[in-house]
Amino acid sequence: LKEANAENIKYKVHRPLSWLAVNVFRGRNLKSRETGLPGQVGCKIYWDPVKLADESALKKIKSVDPIAQSQHEVGSTAFLFAMNPEWDEFEESQELAKIRDVLPVGVVEPSMSEADFAQTAVAAEESLSVDDFLLFPVLQPVSSKSEGAKKKKEQTDQTGATLLPWKDSPAAITIKVVFRDVLNNLPGAGHTLGEVSVPFSQLFEEGGFAGWCPVVPVYDSKSEGDW
C-alpha cells in the first residue's frame, strides 16, 4: 500500500483517456540478415510515450509524468516459421492485463461502437472489427508548464504539469520484429530483426493507419530475452 501511494500524482488537470487499437497482421521478406534464410518470426508491440521527444522535451515530460519513464508493452503475435507470415493469433501483455484489472468497470471497454469502428481508416482496409485488435488505454500527454502557461495559469496544477494537444504527442507505437533460426530457436532466444515506429500524431491526424512499413534494423539490441 505504501508503494502504491508513492506512485500517486495529485493532478488537478484532468487527463482525458483514449484507446489505442493496434495489431500486426502480416509481414513479407522477413529473413535472416546473415544467411538470407527464413526462420520463426514474431512481433512485440509497445506504446512509447516519448519515442519522438527531443532531449529538452524529454526532460520536461519525465519531470511531471511517471508514465513516460519507460515504454509499455501492449502485446505480441505468435511465432510463425515463414518469410511472409500472416499472424492470426495475438496475446495481450501482462501489463495490459493488470491495467484492465485496476480500471473502473465503465472504462475497461472503449466508447466507440462496432458501427463507428467499422468506418475508421484501419477497419475499412479489410472489414475488421474491434475484436481483431489489442486495445490499450493512453492518457493525453503532459509536459512541465511553459513560460506562457505560467503567465496564463491555464490547465496547470501544483505538479507543474500542463496538457499537450493530442496532435503534438511525442508518442509512437513501436513494433519489434524478433527472429529465431536454427541457431537460436529456443523460447528464451532470438534477436531483434528490426523495428517499425508509427507516430501517434500521424494516427491522430489520419484517424488510423493501415499499410506496409519498412523494418528498420536495430543494431544496438541483439537479443530479446523474454521471448
Side-chain angles (χ1 to χ4, degrees), residues 12-82:
K12 286 187 177 179
V13 174
H14 172 66
R15 295 184 67 179
L17 178 73
S18 184
W19 286 87
L20 178 70
V22 59
N23 212 337
V24 185
F25 297 101
R26 298 182 184 87
R28 61 186 180 192
N29 299 324
L30 300 177
K31 55 189 176 182
S32 170
R33 298 188 186 279
E34 289 75 24
T35 66
L37 297 175
Q40 291 196 41
V41 185
C43 295
K44 203 166 193 176
I45 306 168
Y46 295 91
W47 166 255
D48 191 333
V50 289
K51 177 72 173 180
L52 305 177
D54 58 30
E55 186 173 348
S56 175
L58 186 64
K59 185 177 180 180
K60 291 180 179 179
I61 294 171
K62 286 190 172 183
S63 69
V64 294
D65 189 4
I67 296 174
Q69 303 304 316
S70 63
Q71 62 183 3
H72 303 277
E73 184 183 347
V74 178
S76 59
T77 69
F79 269 93
L80 297 179
F81 188 90

Side-chain angles (χ1 to χ4, degrees), residues 9 13 27 32-33 50 94 99 117 128-129 147 150 173 177 196 219:
I9 302 296
V13 174
S32 170
R33 298 188 186 279
V50 289
Q94 291 184 357
I99 291 175
F117 188 84
L128 299 169
S129 72
E147 290 301 319
K150 287 179 181 178
I173 300 169
V177 183
V196 171
Y219 295 108

Side-chain angles (χ1 to χ4, degrees), residues 119-130:
Q119 301 302 316
T120 64
V122 176
E125 183 77 10
E126 296 184 38
S127 300
L128 299 169
S129 72
V130 174

Side-chain angles (χ1 to χ4, degrees), residues 32-198:
S32 170
R33 298 188 186 279
E34 289 75 24
T35 66
L37 297 175
Q40 291 196 41
V41 185
C43 295
K44 203 166 193 176
I45 306 168
Y46 295 91
W47 166 255
D48 191 333
V50 289
K51 177 72 173 180
L52 305 177
D54 58 30
E55 186 173 348
S56 175
L58 186 64
K59 185 177 180 180
K60 291 180 179 179
I61 294 171
K62 286 190 172 183
S63 69
V64 294
D65 189 4
I67 296 174
Q69 303 304 316
S70 63
Q71 62 183 3
H72 303 277
E73 184 183 347
V74 178
S76 59
T77 69
F79 269 93
L80 297 179
F81 188 90
M83 189 179 296
N84 302 307
E86 294 191 7
W87 293 286
D88 57 8
E89 294 182 16
F90 54 89
E91 182 178 6
E92 69 178 22
S93 68
Q94 291 184 357
E95 179 177 5
L96 178 52
K98 290 179 180 178
I99 291 175
R100 289 182 180 279
D101 288 340
V102 299
L103 284 176
V105 175
V107 183
V108 172
E109 295 300 332
S111 58
M112 182 180 292
S113 68
E114 287 282 354
D116 292 334
F117 188 84
Q119 301 302 316
T120 64
V122 176
E125 183 77 10
E126 296 184 38
S127 300
L128 299 169
S129 72
V130 174
D131 294 335
D132 294 312
F133 294 84
L134 293 165
L135 300 174
F136 192 84
V138 296
L139 291 171
Q140 186 165 341
V142 293
S143 181
S144 61
K145 54 189 177 183
S146 63
E147 290 301 319
K150 287 179 181 178
K151 293 177 182 178
K152 295 179 181 179
K153 296 184 179 180
E154 294 177 350
Q155 292 188 313
T156 60
D157 58 23
Q158 74 266 36
T159 67
T162 182
L163 285 176
L164 292 176
W166 286 105
K167 65 181 181 63
D168 295 335
S169 171
I173 300 169
T174 298
I175 300 168
K176 291 186 178 181
V177 183
V178 179
F179 182 86
R180 298 176 185 164
D181 55 21
V182 293
L183 300 178
N184 50 24
N185 196 28
L186 298 176
H191 65 273
T192 302
L193 191 64
E195 67 178 36
V196 171
S197 290
V198 180

